[in-house]
Structures are given as structure tokens and as C-alpha cells.
Amino acid sequence: MSLANQFAAYTEWRSRLSADIGEFQGWLGRNELSDGQTDLRLTQLQERLREDRLNVAFVAEFSRGKSELINAIFFADYGNRMLPSSAGRTTMCPTELLFDAGKAPSIELLPIETRASNSSVTEYKRFPEEWSVVALDTASPESMQEALRHVSQTTRVDPETAGRLGFEIGRRETDLFRVGDDGLVEIPRWRHALINFPHPLLRQGLVILDTPGLNAIGAEPELTLSLLPSAHAVLFILAADTGVTQSDLAIWKEHICNGGTARRGRLIVLNKIDGQWDELKSDAEIDAEIRRQAETSASLLAVPLAQVFPVSAQKGLVAKINGDPALLERSRLPLLEAALSEELIPAKRDLVRDSTDSEFGDVAGRVRGLLDSRLLGLREQLGELNELRGKNKGVVEYMMGKVRAEKEEFEAGLQRYYAVRSVFSTLTNKLFGHLGLDVLRQLTHETRAVMQEAAFSKTLSDAMAGFFAGSRDALARSNGEIAEILKMMEAVYKKFAVEHGLKLGAPTAFSLLRYEKELDRLQAWCDDHLNSMVSLLTTDKKHITQKFFDEVAVQVRRAFEHANKDAEVWLRAIMAPMETQVREHQIQLKRRLESIKRIHQATDTLEDRIAELEGVERGLQQQLQALAEIVGRVRGRLDPPDEERLAA
């Protein structure tokens, strides 16, 4: 299947999964089985499925044919090149291609001068007034081509300004940013570009990240700290005529291998193989030469040969536009597209399936437990009423007293429940006392003060190391509170299960390990790029301080923000089952007592009441059967579809 068809099938699967969960949510509401927390969790799950994105990053040095490859894979249907593609540097700033239905087709451009501020690109995305907007006329390919050339624009500034904006100024002819005869330096005009374009794949949630070369990647570390690690696939493009150069190897080692990107999604593209096409050589000789180049590239990058794809993006684009299947096959572009389909879509589907399965499974389990509890309570009532058949009024009074005593005993036990709630609240406050952003804000403030006043490189180095040590200490203390909460809830769950027959199972576990690993990744980047001996001795103290807080500390704060949200969700999830079961048990005891009272007071006949409860029992069994069918349908959707079902 083509990449477009695979992605369309994946999108359809995701839409049907969301619809099934929506049906489940509606069924819960109609059967009075939902509550505010359950409804919120299912709504958020559907929103995540609707807003799901598939991020593909294209990374290369300049002049490797990166933009041409994007044109060939995604935009050939438009009959021309959409992204600028020519000799030299055409992608001057990181460019995201996506579709947002809430905006008109356009290009949003963030001025390069914003680098002088203390804000990241992600933060600037919240302030649309900071971006320059160029409209896109999607009906005119020529007009679109003209508009898209804005991404390639440059500006000339003095060397001091260029340095302040993060560009390394060199003197050699090979340096990308150097002082010209006019005393100025040519730099990109824009810091970041967002292209909102209604391409069919972009409509379905594909996001393409087109990155500039090595120097620009170094000048915008958010790429390697955030955008590249979040990509589901990274296509690293080489040129067949040059192979793996020193700058290629630097990008691969520093920004891809050490950038946190998933190994499964890394593909090496050996572009421009048409340069090897020689009419004086046989096809076998040409293929052997291309294979040798692919083997050499695989060896230098330490990847399997199967991950290297020799292609000619330019010939592939021409073949698609002209409808030339022979040229398309010779370009080998379909092999790369097939690999993208087989690698990218299943990997992304696995991620979505696992996260959905976990969330949906928890909600479905709670609902099943609630229905089982209701059915158990109802059968207890029926058992009590059946025992009253043929009995005198004194036996009815005895049974009523027994249920009343049970109700009073449970209500007395509720004092422990309220005490648990109080302790739970205290432990929660202690958890957020360590994990909360106030602690990190104070640590950031103290670190900034030390770094600004530092007179020696060692002071700067110790301050950066201290910032990470303080962040890790906050996570370690938070993990301690989490363990304490979990231990308490396990004991409470068992106690209420034994004493009152509540079906609680085991409380959900939680860990901050993923955020500890994120701190490890960020500190490794910091040690390589800022806190190294070379950097400390050759870079201005003020510049290091600014880069540390603009780039590293921002990512640490983002990790803590996500950790806080995850902890809040877990705390609600761990307390909700007990709250639901306690409330349900209270309702069941009240109903049992009311039922016997009505018989005692002769407001109901015993047989009528038994018949009524038997009808309720049948209703509960039908609800359990319906729940099993709905859960089975969603579980079936979550199973990896085989090729035949996916093709259908």
C-alpha cells in the first residue's frame, strides 16, 4: 500500500476507535453509570484521538535535496515543486508543514530577532501577533510557490547582532556565516515557519518538520531538545555523490543519536543516485556502485543496511508529475515510501493503541466493578426477601434490625474513610510541595543569580550541575510521597474489601521514571554543548547563562509541567474507585433497608417487591452483557489489524 493509503487507513481506524469510545460514553450516561471524573477522562481520550499528530522530521546538511524529497513524497500531485528546491541553501529556518482547520491557508513566520528574548519558539506559538503572516492561494501553484519562497529569505546584520542571535561567525570560505565585504553577515530572516496547508495527509494529522543545516540546528537547540525527540520518524538525508561527510556525521551523532529520537523511526536516505547513472556503464555496474555507497554509509553511521534507502528525489518527482512508471521505479522512491508505511504507521498505531488501551481499560474495569457491586447487592436483597416468604412479622422486624445494624456499622466505618481522605489530602499537598512549579521556579531563580554573579568557569559549571541535582532531588522526594500514598491506599483498599465486601482490586501504580530519564537527556545535552570545558573557556559567561535558561531550563520546566498533570490524573484515578464503591455501598444498604421497611409497613407485598427486584436484576445482567459487547468492540479495534483488514 502507498503511504497515503496506509495513513488514510490509520486515520479511519483512529476515527472509528474514537466513535466507539463516544458510543461507550453515551451508553454510560443513558444507564446512569457515569460520573464527572469518568466523563472527563473519556472526553479527554477522544480529544487526544482527534488531535493526534504524526510527526516526520527531515534532517540534513544543506544541498542534500531535502526539500526536493518532501516535494516528491508529498506534493507531486500538485504538478510542480511546492517547497523551494535549488542549489544552495533553500530551507533557512526550521519549517513545520501542518493543517489547522481553524486558520486560513497561510505561512506564519517568526522574526529572527525573537532569539534575543528569553522565550522559546513553543512559547511564541501562543502569541500570534508576534508572527508575520503570508496568505496562501491554494488554487494557484505559481502563487503558492512565490509565497513559499519567504522561507528562504535572508537578512544582513552586523557581526555583533549575528553573534547575539546565536550565529557562529567564521572567517573561512566554508563557514556558513561570515563577514562579507560590506562588513555584514547574511543570516536567516526568520527563526521558524509554520505552513498551514490543506494537503490530504496534513488534514489527517501528518506534520512535516523540514530542518536547516548543522549551523542552524546548533543555533536553535529547541530542535534537538524538543522537536526532533518528539518526531515519530526521522529521515536523515545524505548525498550519494559525497557519502557521509564530517558535517553529516556531526549531525547524526550529536543531534539524532543523542537527541532522544526513537531508533525504530530512523531512516537513512542516500539521495541523488541519478548522479551515478552513466550511459557508459551497465545497470549491474551502476547498482553495484550504489550498493557500495549504501554499505559504506551504513557502516559509518552504525546502522543496518536495510535502514539505508538510495533514491533520486528529483527523478521521482519528475516521474510522478509526468506519469512515468519506469522512471519512478528507477528512482527507487517507492521503496522508501513503502518503508515509511511499514515503519512509521505501525509504530504510531502501537503508541496510540497502548495509551488508549490503558485509559479505556481502567474506565471499563471501574464500570464493570460498579455493575458487579450493584448485582451483588441486589442479590443480597433478593436473598433476604426470599427468606421472608412465609415468615411472620417478627422475622421481618429482625431482618430490618439486622440491615439497620449493618448500615450503622458501615457509617461508623466511614469515619475511617474520611480520615483517609484527610491523610490523602495532606500527602497530596506534600507531593506537590516537591513536584510543584513553585519549587522549580525558586531553584531556577537561585541558579540564575549564581550564574550571573559567577567570576569563574567552575562556578558556572557547578551552578548548572546544581540545577539538575536540585531538579532530581525534587523528583526523588516526589517519588517518596507517591510511594507513601500508594502504600496507604493499598492498605485502605484491603481493609474496606475485607470489612465491607467492596470490590476494589489493587490501586493503580505511578512512577516519575520517564521524567528522571528526561532530566538525564537534558543534562547530557547541556554537558555536551554548554557545560563542557571548551564551551566554558571560549564562550562569554553571559551567553552561556542566557542559553542555559532559554533552552535547557525551559525544557526542564516543561517536563515538570507534564509530571504535575500526570500526577493529578493519577491521584484522581487512585481515589475514584473507593469513592465510587463507598457511595454505591451506601446506596445499596439504604435500598435494602427501605425495601424491608415497605414490606413491614405493608405498603408493598413481598411477592411484588421480589418481582420488582428480579426485573432490576435482569436489567443489570443486560447492562453487563451490553458492557461486554462494547468493550469487546473497542478491544477488537485496538488489536493490530492484519493486512487484509487494513487494506479494506
Side-chain angles (χ1 to χ4, degrees):
M1 296 178 68
S2 70
L3 177 61
N5 289 342
Q6 280 268 28
F7 197 74
Y10 165 73
T11 303
E12 177 65 19
W13 169 79
R14 197 183 61 208
S15 298
R16 289 181 179 177
L17 178 59
S18 179
D20 287 341
I21 292 170
E23 181 185 338
F24 175 59
Q25 185 178 22
W27 181 83
L28 292 179
R30 291 191 299 274
N31 288 275
E32 299 181 352
L33 292 167
S34 188
D35 53 41
Q37 179 61 25
T38 299
D39 198 54
L40 176 63
R41 290 177 72 180
L42 291 175
T43 298
Q44 290 174 339
L45 181 55
Q46 290 176 84
E47 286 176 356
R48 286 203 301 272
L49 286 170
R50 279 195 297 269
E51 297 171 2
D52 177 55
R53 290 282 188 265
L54 188 64
N55 300 297
V56 182
F58 288 73
V59 181
E61 259 294 28
F62 290 119
S63 301
R64 300 295 188 262
K66 178 166 38 64
S67 298
E68 189 79 324
L69 184 63
I70 295 173
N71 283 325
I73 295 176
F74 299 107
F75 296 106
D77 289 346
Y78 287 86
N80 212 325
R81 292 183 176 91
M82 288 293 103
L83 293 181
S85 178
S86 58
R89 293 178 282 169
T90 54
T91 303
M92 295 299 295
C93 67
T95 303
E96 290 180 77
L97 293 93
L98 68 162
F99 180 68
D100 182 347
K103 296 179 180 179
S106 62
I107 306 173
E108 297 176 74
L109 300 157
L110 185 64
I112 194 67
E113 290 78 14
T114 58
R115 276 196 183 165
S117 72
N118 293 326
S119 300
S120 64
V121 172
T122 301
E123 289 176 306
Y124 270 109
K125 287 179 180 179
R126 303 173 187 170
F127 303 100
E129 66 276 6
E130 298 289 340
W131 300 67
S132 294
V133 181
V134 179
L136 278 179
D137 180 4
T138 57
S140 169
E142 294 77 15
S143 176
M144 283 185 57
Q145 282 180 304
E146 184 60 34
L148 288 165
R149 288 195 181 97
H150 283 80
V151 177
S152 308
Q153 290 178 337
T154 60
T155 185
R156 299 188 71 81
V157 298
D158 60 74
E160 183 181 348
T161 300
R164 193 174 71 252
L165 295 177
F167 296 101
E168 294 184 9
I169 313 303
R171 300 291 177 184
R172 298 168 300 178
E173 285 295 316
T174 55
D175 290 324
L176 291 176
F177 303 104
R178 59 183 184 274
V179 180
D181 295 338
D182 57 359
L184 300 178
V185 180
E186 184 181 63
I187 63 171
R189 183 177 178 185
W190 310 108
R191 180 182 182 185
H192 201 86
L194 299 172
I195 301 177
N196 188 42
F197 182 64
H199 184 281
L201 290 180
L202 302 183
R203 281 181 179 275
Q204 295 176 58
L206 179 69
V207 177
I208 301 168
L209 175 63
D210 185 7
T211 65
L214 174 64
N215 284 44
I217 284 181
E220 193 64 76
E222 190 172 359
L223 273 173
T224 49
L225 286 174
S226 179
L227 292 177
L228 288 181
S230 67
H232 301 103
V234 175
L235 273 70
F236 184 57
I237 298 100
L238 306 169
D241 54 346
T242 60
V244 182
T245 66
Q246 286 299 317
S247 58
D248 290 326
L249 201 56
I251 291 180
W252 176 256
K253 288 183 175 179
E254 293 181 28
H255 301 304
I256 299 180
C257 291
N258 294 331
T261 56
R263 288 184 177 274
R264 182 176 178 181
R266 296 177 187 165
L267 299 179
I268 314 301
V269 181
L270 191 62
N271 194 19
K272 303 184 180 182
I273 61 169
D274 53 293
Q276 311 295 326
W277 298 353
D278 187 339
E279 294 179 357
L280 299 179
K281 294 180 181 178
S282 67
D283 289 346
E285 288 174 321
I286 293 171
D287 288 344
E289 193 170 327
I290 292 173
R291 181 176 178 82
R292 280 196 299 273
Q293 187 70 291
E295 289 172 345
T296 301
S297 299
S299 175
L300 289 171
L301 299 178
V303 299
L305 181 61
Q307 276 184 247
V308 181
F309 294 87
V311 303
S312 171
Q314 192 270 336
K315 299 303 181 188
L317 176 63
V318 170
K320 285 186 175 184
I321 292 174
N322 294 335
D324 187 340
L327 181 60
L328 182 61
E329 183 179 359
R330 196 178 185 201
S331 76
R332 305 195 191 187
L333 188 64
L335 296 176
L336 173 62
E337 292 178 326
L340 269 176
S341 300
E342 293 164 7
E343 279 271 335
L344 179 59
I345 307 297
K348 175 60 173 172
R349 191 175 57 226
D350 288 348
L351 288 173
V352 172
R353 187 180 66 245
D354 291 346
S355 63
T356 303
D357 187 36
S358 175
E359 188 77 5
F360 175 79
D362 186 51
V363 171
R366 284 179 53 194
V367 174
R368 176 62 192 250
L370 180 60
L371 284 174
D372 284 342
S373 176
R374 287 184 181 180
L375 190 59
L376 179 64
L378 185 68
R379 285 173 176 166
E380 285 183 5
Q381 287 188 60
L382 279 169
E384 289 167 351
L385 294 182
N386 279 314
E387 287 182 12
L388 295 178
R389 279 179 166 148
K391 300 295 193 297
N392 59 31
K393 192 172 183 179
V395 174
V396 175
E397 289 175 349
Y398 167 77
M399 187 66 71
M400 185 166 60
K402 180 183 174 184
V403 175
R404 183 180 285 118
E406 189 178 337
K407 182 173 180 289
E408 289 172 354
E409 180 186 357
F410 181 73
E411 288 175 348
L414 284 180
Q415 298 305 315
R416 285 196 298 274
Y417 167 71
Y418 296 131
V420 167
R421 285 301 306 260
S422 177
V423 175
F424 182 81
S425 179
T426 301
L427 291 175
T428 297
N429 290 336
K430 289 175 68 176
L431 168 60
F432 287 114
H434 302 310
L435 190 62
L437 296 179
D438 287 343
V439 172
L440 187 65
R441 199 173 291 116
Q442 179 64 26
L443 176 63
T444 303
H445 176 76
E446 292 171 356
T447 305
R448 187 188 294 273
V450 172
M451 291 181 71
Q452 287 175 339
E453 295 173 5
F456 302 100
S457 297
K458 187 177 186 309
T459 309
L460 278 180
S461 179
D462 290 346
M464 287 185 274
F467 176 81
F468 282 105
S471 301
R472 281 198 181 82
D473 182 63
L475 290 184
R477 291 173 182 269
S478 300
N479 269 325
E481 299 300 337
I482 288 167
E484 187 73 20
I485 291 171
L486 189 60
K487 181 180 177 182
M488 181 190 75
M489 294 307 294
E490 284 174 343
V492 171
Y493 272 33
K494 287 179 182 177
K495 193 172 188 63
F496 273 77
V498 170
E499 293 185 0
H500 304 292
L502 303 189
K503 300 185 70 173
L504 290 167
T508 306
F510 179 61
S511 170
L512 295 171
L513 179 62
R514 60 178 292 194
Y515 299 106
E516 293 171 358
K517 289 186 175 298
E518 177 67 0
L519 283 185
D520 291 342
R521 185 181 72 84
L522 292 171
Q523 185 166 16
W525 186 93
C526 179
D527 289 344
D528 287 343
H529 294 84
L530 298 179
N531 197 13
S532 66
M533 186 60 67
V534 172
S535 179
L536 290 170
L537 293 177
T538 60
T539 309
D540 179 66
K541 179 196 77 171
K542 183 179 178 182
H543 184 64
I544 288 179
T545 301
Q546 182 173 338
K547 285 176 74 69
F548 179 78
F549 289 101
D550 291 356
E551 293 149 12
V552 180
V554 163
Q555 297 297 328
V556 172
R557 187 184 69 196
R558 192 167 298 155
F560 268 71
E561 287 173 350
H562 288 308
N564 272 264
K565 289 178 182 177
D566 285 351
E568 288 173 3
V569 170
W570 174 69
L571 289 168
R572 289 196 297 266
I574 201 174
M575 191 51 117
M578 194 169 78
E579 290 177 335
T580 301
Q581 288 283 327
V582 165
R583 184 171 62 249
E584 188 66 23
H585 199 66
Q586 282 181 302
I587 292 171
Q588 293 296 339
L589 285 171
K590 183 178 179 181
R591 285 176 179 169
R592 286 170 61 195
L593 189 58
E594 288 294 326
S595 181
I596 297 174
K597 272 185 180 179
R598 285 162 65 181
I599 293 167
H600 181 258
Q601 295 168 358
T603 55
D604 268 355
T605 68
L606 179 61
E607 296 303 325
D608 286 345
R609 186 59 180 156
I610 289 175
E612 180 184 337
L613 291 179
E614 286 174 342
V616 175
E617 181 184 23
R618 287 192 295 274
L620 283 173
Q621 289 174 331
Q622 290 171 355
Q623 286 183 334
L624 280 166
Q625 183 178 355
L627 174 65
E629 291 173 356
I630 293 172
V631 170
R633 186 158 58 250
V634 175
R635 293 280 188 208
R637 191 82 65 194
L638 288 170
D639 287 339
D642 57 37
E643 292 306 316
E644 183 179 341
R645 285 165 54 203
L646 187 61

